[in-house]
Amino acid sequence: MDRRSISPGFVEDALACLRGQGIDAAPLLRQAGLPDPVTGPVSTDCYGRLWWLIAQAMQDEFFGLAARPMRPGSFALLCHAVLHARTLDQALRRALRFLDVVLDRPRGTLRVREGVAVITLDDGGPPRPAFAYRTYWLILMGLACWLIGRRIPLRHLDFVCAAPPHRQDYRQFFGAPVHFGQAQTSLRFDARYLRLPPVRSEQALAQFLREAPANILLRYQHDQGVAARIRGRLKTTPPQGWPGFAALAAEMRLSEATLRRQLRTEGQSFAALKGELQSVEAQRLLRETRLSVAEIADALGYSEAGAFYRAFRKWTGQSPGAFRRAE
C-alpha cells in the first residue's frame, strides 16, 4: 500500500469511535468524499478530513479514547506551545506535559537510555485499544517530525494491549517493528534527534494547521522532498550568499513554475524556507554571541536592521532585544 494511503481498517477504527457515541457516520463519510462502506485504502487527505469531521462531531480530537476529551483546537494550541522550543528534546517534553493536562491519561514520559530516546505511556488502568496508542503517536511524532523538518525513524514500538485480530496494518504503518502484549506502551528512536533545533516559523505553522491532521499522517515523508533539498542547499551557504529563486530553480534544473508548484504541493514556499532558517540562526546568534542586532541582521542577509527587526517579531512575537534578555 502506498505511503500516502490509509488502510480501511484505520477508517473503521475511527468510525467505531463515532458510532460508540451514537453518531451516524454516513453524513461524515459523504463530506469526506468516502464511500459507505469503505472497503479499500483511502488517501491521507480524505482520512484527515474524516478525522477533522469526527473531532467536530464528537468534540474530541482524540476520538473519545483518552480519560478526558481533547477539545477541538487543542492540537493547534499544542503546536503553538512547542513552536519556539530550543531543541526537539525541549519540544517533546513540553508536548508531553501539554497532552498530560489535556488528556489526563495516557500520560507520556521521555527518558534517554544509552543513546536511545524512549517515550513511555502510562495508563494507570486497563489497556486502551491499539487505536488510542496509534493516535497518540501520530499526534506527538507527526508534530515532532514536522517541527524539525525531518522524519524520525523509529527503532521499535511496544503496545501494552493485545494485537488487534487480522490487522497487519498496525505492524506496517510505523515502518518499524511493533510488539503487542508488552509490559508498557512505548516507542524508541535515536537520541541524537533530540538535539536538533526546530526549523519552523509562525507562517509555516499557519500553513501546517490549515492542512492538519492530514499532514501528520504522512509521518513527514517530505523529508526527502524538494523542500528538504532546498533547506540542505541553503544550509551550505551563509545567508548573504543565498541564490535567488530563479538561480535556485536553474541550479536544480527545474523551471521556476515547476519548482514553485512542487513547493506548494509540500505546503511550502521559498520565502518561508528562507525565513525558517533565518529564524533558527537569528535565535542562535542572539543566545550564543554578543553581536549587535545590526550585525546579526547583516549576517542574515538583511540590508537594514529594521527589516530584520520586523521579521523577527513575526517569527517569535518578540523583539530581538526582548528575546535576548529572556535567555
Side-chain angles (χ1 to χ4, degrees), residues 285-326:
L285 291 172
L286 286 166
R287 280 197 305 265
E288 300 177 7
T289 76
R290 303 298 298 171
L291 293 174
S292 69
V293 170
E295 289 170 326
I296 291 174
D298 182 64
L300 294 175
Y302 285 89
S303 57
E304 52 99 14
F308 166 66
Y309 183 94
R310 291 189 294 273
F312 194 86
R313 286 196 69 91
K314 277 187 178 182
W315 297 330
T316 68
Q318 301 177 270
S319 69
F323 179 89
R324 176 170 266 169
R325 287 191 296 273

Side-chain angles (χ1 to χ4, degrees), residues 112 180 217 291:
V112 177
F180 290 93
L217 294 162
L291 293 174

Side-chain angles (χ1 to χ4, degrees), residues 50-73:
L50 180 64
W51 187 345
W52 187 87
L53 290 166
I54 290 174
Q56 303 310 303
M58 297 179 68
Q59 285 295 285
D60 188 347
E61 294 179 334
F62 205 77
F63 298 101
L65 295 171
R68 290 202 295 253
M70 186 174 178
R71 298 298 185 194

Side-chain angles (χ1 to χ4, degrees), residues 218-288:
L218 296 175
R219 293 166 290 153
Y220 208 68
Q221 71 174 23
H222 293 317
D223 59 341
Q224 299 300 320
V226 67
R229 290 172 58 196
I230 292 174
R231 280 195 197 92
R233 166 65 178 85
L234 297 181
K235 285 178 180 179
T236 65
T237 309
Q240 303 99 317
W242 283 352
F245 188 77
L248 181 67
E251 186 179 308
M252 298 177 72
R253 299 184 180 180
L254 296 171
S255 70
E256 292 181 54
T258 298
L259 181 56
R260 192 172 288 110
R261 184 175 63 253
Q262 289 185 7
L263 283 169
R264 192 163 53 244
T265 298
E266 297 181 14
Q268 293 286 358
S269 71
F270 185 50
L273 290 171
K274 291 192 297 182
E276 288 169 13
L277 295 176
Q278 288 172 317
S279 173
V280 170
E281 181 63 5
Q283 292 175 55
R284 186 191 70 80
L285 291 172
L286 286 166
R287 280 197 305 265
E288 300 177 7

Side-chain angles (χ1 to χ4, degrees), residues 72-212:
S74 297
F75 180 72
L77 289 174
L78 168 60
C79 293
H80 284 285
V82 303
L83 182 63
H84 298 304
R86 294 182 185 179
T87 63
L88 179 62
D89 185 290
Q90 186 180 65
L92 282 172
R93 293 183 193 277
R94 285 183 186 176
L96 292 169
R97 288 198 299 272
F98 184 98
L99 291 170
D100 286 354
V101 171
V102 171
L103 303 177
D104 190 22
R105 300 283 183 176
R107 293 191 172 198
T109 304
L110 168 63
R111 295 185 177 89
V112 177
R113 303 170 182 166
E114 299 179 349
V116 178
V118 183
I119 301 177
T120 302
L121 300 186
D122 173 34
D123 276 317
R128 297 178 195 276
F131 190 59
Y133 302 126
R134 173 186 181 269
T135 301
Y136 193 104
W137 297 137
L138 275 175
I139 291 172
L140 182 69
M141 300 308 294
L143 174 56
C145 293
W146 173 80
L147 197 63
I148 63 171
R150 298 176 64 176
R151 182 169 177 258
I152 301 170
L154 302 180
R155 292 194 173 192
H156 74 266
L157 301 95
D158 289 342
F159 282 50
V160 71
C161 60
H166 314 299
R167 293 294 302 279
Q168 189 64 23
D169 49 4
Y170 270 96
R171 301 183 185 276
Q172 297 170 343
F173 181 82
F174 294 97
V178 178
H179 306 288
F180 290 93
Q182 302 301 302
Q184 289 182 306
T185 296
S186 64
L187 63 71
R188 291 166 170 77
F189 59 90
D190 193 321
R192 64 187 171 89
Y193 287 93
L194 296 175
R195 298 192 294 271
L196 295 177
V199 297
R200 301 301 185 177
S201 64
E202 294 281 353
Q203 298 97 315
L205 176 58
Q207 179 68 36
F208 178 70
L209 290 174
R210 281 194 291 271
E211 297 174 356

